[in-house]
Amino acid sequence: MSARWKLTVRSGPRVERAAFPQLPDALASLEERARELAETAPRRALDTKVKRFEPEQQVVARLELSGPQRLVASVRAGVDVRGDGSVEAYRGRVRRRPITPERDETPYAALARELT
């Protein structure tokens, strides 16, 4: 049986890829990796000559799930890890739409709810 869900992790210049046969496995791996990246977020402002970007405005890592189709994925969703260590779930690829967590729900649980 071939992998149906792909996880792509972009952190700085590095890109990591992994494949999973089931959505729960992919979601668990995404959460584990995002928590690691959130702990190591730089938490400092980026000052360019034109504009200052506060940590919550910066995306330091993007983790994207795609699948379950092999060639053209029908689902694209994931989480952005911000410079202040916060995490925001989204759905879509080019036009990312934020997934708003319900009461007492983590961004990871909101993503899982949206995908199942």
Side-chain angles (χ1 to χ4, degrees):
M1 181 167 146
S2 64
R4 296 177 43 193
W5 291 93
K6 295 179 182 138
L7 173 62
T8 304
V9 179
R10 291 178 181 86
S11 176
R14 290 176 307 213
V15 177
E16 304 168 21
R17 292 183 175 86
F20 302 90
Q22 301 293 323
L23 180 59
D25 300 332
L27 287 167
S29 181
L30 178 140
E31 182 175 353
E32 179 183 337
R33 189 69 178 108
R35 287 184 186 277
E36 290 171 5
L37 291 166
E39 286 178 13
T40 61
R43 291 175 170 70
R44 64 180 177 273
L46 176 64
D47 201 3
T48 65
K49 295 192 188 287
V50 178
K51 188 175 179 180
R52 180 180 171 93
F53 295 95
E54 296 301 322
E56 62 273 3
Q57 295 174 302
Q58 303 170 34
V59 175
V60 296
R62 176 164 288 147
L63 295 85
E64 181 184 80
L65 282 175
S66 61
Q69 287 75 13
R70 186 170 233 208
L71 296 176
V72 180
S74 64
V75 175
R76 292 199 182 261
V79 296
D80 286 341
V81 178
R82 303 279 179 183
D84 62 351
S86 64
V87 177
E88 179 181 47
Y90 68 87
R91 184 153 189 168
R93 184 173 188 184
V94 176
R95 286 186 171 177
R96 284 184 294 282
R97 295 176 311 281
I99 300 171
T100 306
E102 293 178 353
R103 187 178 175 154
D104 297 332
E105 189 177 48
T106 67
Y108 311 109
L111 179 63
R113 173 180 42 81
E114 187 77 15
L115 295 180
T116 53

